[in-house]
Amino acid sequence: MMKLKKTKNIIIGLCLLAFAGCSSSSKKDYYERMESSSNLRGDRVDLYGRYSKDNIPIARPIPYLKYVNDMETPRIPFKTYKESEFLLFYKNTRAKGHGDNSNYWRWKVSLNKKEIGNILNKNLVTLSSRRPKEVLTYSNNSWIAKKVPLNPVGDVIDIRVLERGKSGLVTKLLINGTRGKYIVAKEGNIRNLLNLSKNSVGTTVNIYGTKGGSNSYNEKPISRNPSMLPSAFIAFEKLGNGGFNIYGGGFGHGSGIPQWSAMDLTKNKGYSYRQVLQRYYTDTKLKNIRSVDGINDKIRVGIMTSGFSSVDHSKISLISLSSMKVNSKDGSVNILPRTAVDFIVKDGYTQVVVQGKVRLKTKNYISITSKDMISVTNIRRNVKKYKYPTYRGSFEIRLAKAGTKLNLINEINIEDYLLQVVPSEMPQSFGLEALKVQAIAARTYAAKDILRNRYVKQGFHILDSTQSQVYNNLDENELSTQGVKTTKGLILVHEDKPIDAKYYSTSSGFNSNAHNVW
C-alpha cells in the first residue's frame, strides 16, 4: 500500500510538471508513463493519476442503474484500460453485442485542424457560461473555475481522455491549446462541447456508422452536423494534419435501458419484457402506480414550441371537431365545432380571439375542454395522421413568468398520455415485447417526475421533449397501444418508490453506472 501511495504522488508531480511546461520529448514520456500507470478508482478509470484537485463532485450511486456488459464478441475487450485499447474497441466495426443492429453501434467522424479548432473555441465559451463549475482552466499551477475568454483554446495541440467510467464512458476530457488548457467534466458537457452543428464547425460534417459484425462503415452518413455528439463512449485519434478522428459507439447518455438492446433481446434472444427490465434496472420490482402515494390518474404536460425549443409561446391556436369551452375567472366562451380560437398576449392580458374578434381577456388561468381531441395548430410535429398534433384531455393556458408569452399545459390521464409517448420513443417494428418494456419505463419515468415536482412553479409535471420524454411527436399505432394496455398501471419501484427509469437509444457494448453520467 505504501508503495502504491508513493507512486501516486510521483504521478501528481509529473502531471503538474507537464502542464507547467516541458520539452516535446518529455511530454511524450509523461503521457506514456501515465498510460502505463493508469489505475482503477472504484468504478472510474483515472488514466493520468490525480492530475488535479478539481473539486468536481462525484454523484451518488443509484443502486438500480448499474454497469452492464452487453458485449458478445469480444466479451472482455479491455485488459489494462489503456486509451489505445479504447481506440481499438471503438474502431472495431466487427464487434458484436446486444443491440448491435443499430447503425449507431459504431460510428466515426473526421475533423480537420480548422474544424476542431472552430468547435472547441466556440463551444467551450458557451459551455463555460452554462456549467461554470464543470469547465476548469489551468491557471497559476492550479485548475480553477473561471470565466473563459473568447477563442480560449487557440490552435488545438491535443485532446486527451483523463477519466472514464468502468463502462468506457468519458467523464473528464483535457483540451490543450496554444492559448490555454482546460478540463471538461461530465458526459453531457463533453457531448455538448463536441457539438458538430454547422454554426459550430463552419462546414458540413458527416457521421458514418455501422451495425455490428460489419467490415466497414456505411457509405451513407447516419447524421449530418448534429447539435450533440451521439455519445460519450468515444476515443480520439490525432491525425498528422492537426485534425482528429473521433471513433464512438452507441447513441444517448448510456445509462438505463438501451432500446435497441431491448428489441434485440426480446426479438432475437428469447427474453421476456420482465427479463429485460431486470437486466437493466437491477434490484427493482413491478408495482401498480395506484398504490403510490402522491400520484392520481392525471399528468400535466408542458407543451413546447415547434422544434421543442421553448415552453413559451408567442401565440397559441386550437381547433376541435367538437365544440370547445373556454373558461376563466373573468368569463367563458363557447367555441363552435371546427372553429379556430387564438390566444395572444397584449398589455399583460391573455386575449381570446375568435374569427378576428376579442371575446375575452384575462390575467388568470384559462381552461379549454372538448368532448373530442383538440389540435394545436401553432406547432409542428412529425405526426402524419393529423395535419397538426392532436391531443386527448384538456388544456390550460397561463401567462408565462415574464408576462409577454404563454405556457400551454395538457392535462391528461396517464394511460392516455402513454398512448402518444410509446410510439414517439420506440418504433413498432421493435415488436410487442420491447414495446411493453418501453411502456413500463415511460410510465415509471412519468410517475417519478410527478413526485419530483421539478416544474411545479410552471404548473406542470413533465415536458413533451427529450428533456423529459417525447410525447405526441409520431403517430399512434396498434402495437404500441397494445404494449401500453397489456402493462396497464405497472411501474418499477425500488424500496417501494418509483425509480428514475432512464432509457436511451443504442448501447456501445456497455451500460454505464448512472453516477458516471449525471
Side-chain angles (χ1 to χ4, degrees):
M1 291 294 291
M2 291 299 292
K3 186 177 181 181
L4 287 174
K5 189 173 182 180
K6 184 177 180 182
T7 304
K8 199 169 188 178
N9 289 337
I10 292 170
I11 289 171
I12 296 170
L14 285 168
C15 188
L16 291 174
L17 177 63
F19 286 124
C22 307
S23 69
S24 60
S25 61
S26 64
K27 281 186 181 179
K28 183 177 179 181
D29 293 339
Y30 158 72
Y31 286 126
E32 287 176 349
R33 277 178 282 184
M34 292 307 98
E35 281 207 350
S36 65
S37 304
S38 66
N39 54 90
L40 188 64
R41 299 190 288 109
D43 67 332
R44 288 192 176 207
V45 183
D46 183 344
L47 295 168
Y48 301 106
R50 285 287 189 175
Y51 51 86
S52 68
K53 294 181 179 179
D54 52 38
N55 296 319
I56 296 173
I58 297 175
R60 186 177 299 174
I62 299 175
Y64 50 80
L65 292 176
K66 295 181 178 179
Y67 165 88
V68 179
N69 185 345
D70 268 347
M71 289 301 300
E72 293 178 302
T73 55
R75 176 66 182 163
I76 308 293
F78 312 125
K79 295 179 181 178
T80 60
Y81 277 86
K82 290 183 179 180
E83 273 304 293
S84 56
E85 286 188 333
F86 285 103
L87 180 59
L88 289 174
F89 177 61
Y90 294 123
K91 288 177 78 170
N92 184 6
T93 59
R94 297 194 61 79
K96 295 283 293 177
H98 304 315
D100 66 4
N101 29 17
S102 165
N103 281 314
Y104 278 96
W105 173 253
R106 289 291 174 270
W107 51 265
K108 170 190 174 183
V109 59
S110 297
L111 300 165
N112 63 35
K113 182 178 180 179
K114 183 177 179 181
E115 290 167 341
I116 193 67
N118 288 346
I119 290 167
L120 296 179
N121 281 297
K122 182 176 181 61
N123 295 339
L124 195 65
V125 175
T126 304
L127 184 62
S128 176
S129 66
R130 292 177 180 172
R131 313 288 294 191
K133 294 181 180 180
E134 292 156 10
V135 177
L136 304 181
T137 301
Y138 189 69
S139 177
N140 297 322
N141 296 326
S142 298
W143 291 101
I144 59 173
K146 60 182 288 189
K147 186 177 180 180
V148 171
L150 294 176
N151 193 28
V153 178
D155 291 333
V156 180
I157 297 171
D158 206 359
I159 303 172
R160 289 198 174 256
V161 174
L162 291 179
E163 186 180 272
R164 293 180 181 270
K166 183 180 178 181
S167 61
L169 185 81
V170 177
T171 55
K172 285 182 184 174
L173 197 64
L174 168 69
I175 309 300
N176 186 6
T178 56
R179 296 196 61 187
K181 301 176 180 70
Y182 303 89
I183 290 174
V184 176
K186 297 198 176 181
E187 173 267 350
N189 294 334
I190 290 165
R191 291 171 67 194
N192 279 310
L193 174 68
L194 297 168
N195 170 351
L196 301 176
S197 67
K198 205 161 188 178
N199 186 45
S200 295
V201 187
T203 57
T204 298
V205 172
N206 294 321
I207 295 180
Y208 295 91
T210 186
K211 300 177 181 180
S214 303
N215 290 321
S216 61
Y217 298 95
N218 300 330
E219 291 184 8
K220 185 178 179 181
I222 55 173
S223 180
R224 180 173 287 121
N225 292 103
S227 59
M228 195 177 197
L229 206 65
S231 81
F233 294 93
I234 51 176
F236 296 87
E237 180 181 59
K238 190 173 182 179
L239 304 175
N241 62 5
F244 288 82
N245 285 332
I246 304 175
Y247 293 92
F251 190 102
H253 50 68
S255 186
I257 286 185
Q259 293 160 308
W260 278 84
S261 299
M263 180 276 288
D264 190 18
L265 290 166
T266 54
K267 245 188 171 183
N268 304 321
K269 295 164 186 176
Y271 277 59
S272 68
Y273 76 89
R274 290 175 181 266
Q275 288 174 311
V276 172
L277 291 170
Q278 283 303 307
R279 177 180 179 83
Y280 296 105
Y281 300 135
T282 57
D283 196 22
T284 62
K285 58 184 178 181
L286 290 169
K287 189 174 183 178
N288 195 288
I289 193 172
R290 288 182 173 273
S291 66
V292 179
D293 291 338
I295 298 176
N296 57 34
D297 61 352
K298 300 283 188 181
I299 188 167
R300 291 167 63 84
V301 188
I303 305 300
M304 300 186 77
T305 57
S306 297
F308 300 106
S309 56
S310 173
V311 292
D312 297 334
H313 300 253
S314 299
K315 176 183 177 181
I316 294 170
S317 301
L318 307 177
I319 194 168
S320 178
L321 295 176
S322 298
S323 61
M324 291 185 288
K325 182 84 170 179
V326 178
N327 278 309
S328 83
K329 288 183 178 179
D330 295 306
S332 62
V333 180
N334 291 316
I335 311 297
L336 295 174
R338 302 176 186 272
T339 302
V341 55
D342 296 329
F343 301 84
I344 60 172
V345 181
K346 189 173 182 180
D347 299 327
Y349 287 84
T350 304
Q351 294 189 349
V352 180
V353 182
V354 182
Q355 295 178 337
K357 295 182 179 180
V358 177
R359 300 285 301 276
L360 178 69
K361 66 177 184 178
T362 181
K363 291 187 176 182
N364 294 303
Y365 302 159
I366 298 173
S367 67
I368 303 97
T369 57
S370 176
K371 292 180 180 179
D372 214 324
M373 296 175 76
I374 299 174
S375 295
V376 182
T377 63
N378 62 291
I379 61 175
R380 296 291 182 271
R381 298 289 188 259
N382 292 314
V383 291
K384 300 289 190 295
K385 184 177 179 180
Y386 302 101
K387 187 176 181 181
Y388 304 103
T390 300
Y391 300 82
R392 297 176 178 85
S394 62
F395 279 102
E396 182 176 289
I397 293 175
R398 299 181 172 202
L399 280 167
K401 189 175 181 180
T404 57
K405 298 285 181 72
L406 298 168
N407 292 155
L408 180 63
I409 301 165
N410 180 209
E411 184 169 298
I412 184 171
N413 179 279
I414 292 174
E415 296 300 314
D416 288 341
Y417 162 75
L418 294 171
L419 296 178
Q420 293 179 300
V421 169
V422 174
S424 295
E425 287 284 4
M426 179 179 279
Q428 62 177 323
S429 61
F430 277 26
L432 179 58
E433 208 68 8
L435 289 164
K436 291 178 186 178
V437 171
Q438 182 64 56
I440 292 171
R443 188 182 292 110
T444 307
Y445 191 100
K448 182 72 172 180
D449 255 15
I450 289 171
L451 296 176
R452 195 173 352 216
N453 276 328
R454 56 178 170 159
Y455 300 112
V456 66
K457 291 182 179 179
Q458 293 163 281
F460 51 85
H461 301 118
I462 200 165
L463 286 168
D464 67 342
S465 72
T466 55
Q467 293 179 53
S468 297
Q469 50 189 0
V470 181
Y471 169 53
N472 200 14
N473 188 48
L474 294 171
D475 291 320
E476 298 174 43
N477 60 73
E478 290 184 9
L479 210 58
S480 295
T481 298
Q482 190 179 347
V484 172
K485 290 186 175 181
T486 55
T487 62
K488 183 178 179 180
L490 290 179
I491 62 169
L492 287 155
V493 298
H494 174 77
E495 297 179 349
D496 285 330
K497 295 179 181 178
I499 70 167
D500 192 1
K502 301 292 189 185
Y503 55 89
Y504 65 103
S505 171
T506 305
S507 172
S508 66
F510 294 92
N511 223 41
S512 176
N513 289 302
H515 61 277
N516 288 159
V517 179
W518 294 285

